[in-house]
Amino acid sequence: MSDYPTYGPLDGPVIMIGFGSIGRGTLPLILRHFDVKPEQITVVAPDDANAAILAEYGVQKLTSLLTEENYRAVLTPLLATKTGRAFCVNLSVDTSSVAIMALVRELGALYIDTVIEPWPGFYDDPAAPLAQRTNYALRQSLLAERRRRPGGPTAVSACGANPGMVSWFVKQALLDVADAVGLGYIRPTTRTQWAELMRQAGVRGIHIAERDTQRGRKPKAIGTFVNTWSVDGFISEGLQPSELGWGTHEKWLPPQAQAHDDPAAPSIYLGRPGADTRVRTWCPTAGPQYGLCVTHNESISIADYFTLTSDSGEVSYRPTCHYAYHPADDAMLSWHELLGHPGQPQRTHEIFDEADILDGIDELGVLLYGHARNAYWFGSRLSVEETRKLAPYQNATGLQVTSAVLAGMVWAVENADAGIVEADEIDFDRCLQVQRPYLGPVEGHFTTWTPLTGRSALFPQDIDPDDPWQFRNVLVH
């Protein structure tokens, strides 16, 4: 990639909130692909992490910990502009995405984030009911803000690799499956048409199926949580209740499953942390594997997006959707240590940067299952070696996220008055066109594997032998 496309000007201030592993990888892509000067960019972060990178690129830095009490006072002067349109790129933790998004839009600026993040105290309040600590609750706060202030400046919510990119993968994978099963169709242009195509294609569910094989140059030390992306973010979501979009084909509820008060809710949650909930899944490199059923926004938004309802409001079709994540081996060991401690996060956190990693790939895709061809995985198989050639200051996991941020920003600039949108709702073709050069091999693979394949006969198992793609068979009991 010697000649990089430019996607137009950013003619106002660009405010980046947070400058951790994702922020430091996103900054070079913004400067590479937009007509923007370094002096237009201000990074707001609570510490001096990655200060050398900021100095290298010549962007401004404001050291400030954003809180519920000060975020308006800190951000308003930075975003208010008499010329051009400001853009807020929120890549932080422990800041309310919805609150910051609302302020940004009040000021007429554009906005993007990678997750619906709350203020501190949401994830780790033992007095809060489980339902209030779910991603369903966080997403409901976003949808309420959209109802309160429809239209207006574009704000792209939850637009990283997942949530984000995987929603675009689902649509491309669905078209591939529809072609493979010989389904004659007109390419969908509306949400209802997409859901109807998924129903007609026979898709019963979707795994966000990921295997991270990146490994460090040194072994994980006891008392250290090691990860290839934000340790704080992974611990927070891993200790939330496990969640999944709940499909209409399911005949069995896990014993710890709970429904939300709203009967229209597209998801359920389990009375156990996602990092301690295992599911059976499949990825091309490893084949059959266990993954963690960690809650993610896309598990809910994808299931919701592809829901069909009758004229009376009854749900007639919905796919099951959930994350099935095998993180890097050192991250799996870190969770084993944390959960056995019991439940006390390690004091030392370590994020593998590109220099720390010996080799490996992040194989992140979507597994559409239950149709006439059984199951189809479509996704990115990006290696750390290729990542080093494509972009600076990130590993394979990071580049899958930062390139999705770039794609979402491009779409926002080109559709600047679309209101609050989720990644499921924006032009997946355009976003993948922008992002694909950074994803390494993007491939589709059919498989004959099901959750009943290769089961051990040594112990009795609670399965549904007549219906392989029931969640009863996917969940590791």
Side-chain angles (χ1 to χ4, degrees):
M1 293 178 64
S2 56
D3 297 319
Y4 303 109
T6 300
Y7 297 111
L10 298 177
D11 55 4
V14 178
I15 309 305
M16 290 186 64
I17 306 176
F19 202 66
S21 61
I22 301 305
R24 72 179 200 153
T26 301
L27 177 61
L29 297 186
I30 292 174
L31 289 166
R32 177 183 289 181
H33 289 288
F34 287 106
D35 183 6
V36 61
K37 296 179 175 60
E39 53 266 30
Q40 291 175 243
I41 302 175
T42 301
V43 169
V44 181
D47 54 40
D48 290 325
N50 299 308
I53 299 174
L54 292 173
E56 175 188 348
Y57 285 99
V59 304
Q60 303 176 76
K61 167 71 185 307
L62 175 61
T63 303
S64 178
L65 174 66
L66 294 184
T67 67
E68 194 169 0
E69 293 72 31
N70 74 1
Y71 78 98
R72 283 183 166 269
V74 173
L75 294 178
T76 297
L78 299 175
L79 291 163
T81 176
K82 295 181 179 179
T83 58
R85 195 168 204 174
F87 204 132
C88 178
V89 183
N90 185 1
L91 305 175
S92 62
V93 297
D94 287 339
T95 63
S96 169
S97 305
V98 173
I100 293 173
M101 175 191 297
L103 171 64
V104 170
R105 297 178 74 239
E106 286 174 18
L107 298 170
L110 303 177
Y111 175 90
I112 193 169
D113 61 40
T114 60
V115 65
I116 306 174
E117 184 77 8
W119 294 118
F122 177 91
Y123 295 118
D124 53 6
D125 180 4
L130 287 182
Q132 292 182 17
R133 294 196 282 113
T134 61
N135 271 6
Y136 171 81
L138 286 170
R139 181 170 179 260
Q140 288 302 105
S141 69
L142 173 84
L143 297 179
E145 174 62 20
R146 179 159 73 176
R147 289 190 297 269
R148 187 177 74 88
R149 294 187 62 201
T154 296
V156 185
S157 172
C159 187
N162 55 317
M165 173 189 74
V166 293
S167 290
W168 311 330
F169 282 173
V170 167
K171 287 185 175 178
Q172 183 58 60
L174 176 56
L175 295 178
D176 293 350
V177 169
D179 289 336
V181 301
L183 185 64
Y185 63 92
I186 298 173
R187 189 181 175 96
T189 58
T190 68
R191 180 172 179 165
T192 299
Q193 290 171 356
W194 278 107
E196 181 59 33
L197 180 61
M198 184 170 281
R199 185 192 67 79
Q200 291 180 4
V203 175
R204 304 179 83 189
I206 303 159
H207 288 178
I208 313 303
E210 179 175 6
R211 179 62 177 258
D212 186 346
T213 67
Q214 295 172 101
R215 57 191 183 127
R217 298 182 184 277
K218 62 180 182 179
K220 186 192 97 65
I222 293 176
T224 300
F225 197 115
V226 176
N227 199 22
T228 55
W229 54 283
S230 170
V231 172
D232 290 329
F234 196 16
I235 291 176
S236 294
E237 70 184 27
L239 294 179
Q240 284 181 265
S242 181
E243 289 181 85
L244 59 158
W246 195 241
T248 46
H249 74 282
E250 302 288 1
K251 298 182 293 187
W252 173 88
L253 272 174
Q256 293 176 300
Q258 300 181 52
H260 294 282
D261 291 339
D262 183 357
S267 61
I268 62 171
Y269 61 99
L270 308 183
R272 57 186 299 167
D276 199 26
T277 303
R278 295 181 299 169
V279 288
R280 294 173 176 84
T281 192
W282 186 93
C283 282
T285 294
Q289 65 178 23
Y290 280 171
L292 303 179
C293 193
V294 173
T295 180
H296 258 210
N297 184 78
E298 77 271 11
S299 301
I300 305 161
S301 70
I302 291 173
D304 193 15
Y305 186 87
F306 289 96
T307 293
L308 289 172
T309 57
S310 65
D311 293 339
S312 63
E314 294 293 320
V315 173
S316 58
Y317 169 79
R318 176 183 293 135
T320 293
C321 183
H322 60 83
Y323 201 8
Y325 180 30
H326 191 305
D329 288 350
D330 279 349
M332 287 290 281
L333 285 173
S334 299
W335 271 117
H336 185 72
E337 182 180 69
L338 186 157
L339 293 169
H341 197 239
Q344 297 299 314
Q346 295 89 332
R347 292 185 177 182
T348 303
H349 295 174
E350 182 177 344
I351 301 175
F352 281 155
D353 65 25
E354 66 283 358
D356 298 322
I357 297 175
L358 180 64
D359 56 21
I361 69 173
D362 200 327
E363 189 166 78
L364 171 56
V366 296
L367 184 75
L368 276 61
Y369 61 80
H371 46 81
R373 292 289 303 274
N374 184 55
Y376 178 68
W377 186 95
F378 180 86
S380 163
R381 307 178 72 188
L382 179 63
S383 71
V384 67
E385 293 85 1
E386 186 163 5
T387 298
R388 293 185 182 115
K389 299 174 184 177
L390 292 172
Y393 302 124
Q394 52 204 313
N395 57 36
T397 307
L399 187 54
Q400 289 167 334
V401 177
T402 60
S403 57
V405 174
L406 171 67
M409 290 182 68
V410 171
W411 189 89
V413 169
E414 295 173 348
N415 301 268
D417 293 292
I420 296 173
V421 294
E422 297 184 286
D424 314 86
E425 299 169 315
I426 65 181
D427 185 346
F428 81 101
D429 275 327
R430 178 56 169 156
C431 290
L432 287 180
Q433 180 187 43
V434 173
Q435 189 183 13
R436 199 159 180 158
Y438 289 109
L439 295 179
V442 177
E443 303 172 354
H445 297 264
F446 285 98
T447 176
T448 59
W449 175 85
T450 79
L452 295 180
T453 301
R455 291 276 188 146
S456 171
L458 296 176
F459 298 93
Q461 301 186 51
D462 182 9
I463 61 174
D464 184 339
D466 300 319
D467 195 349
W469 288 108
Q470 287 289 314
F471 187 68
R472 181 175 184 174
N473 299 328
V474 173
L475 181 67
V476 179
H477 297 257

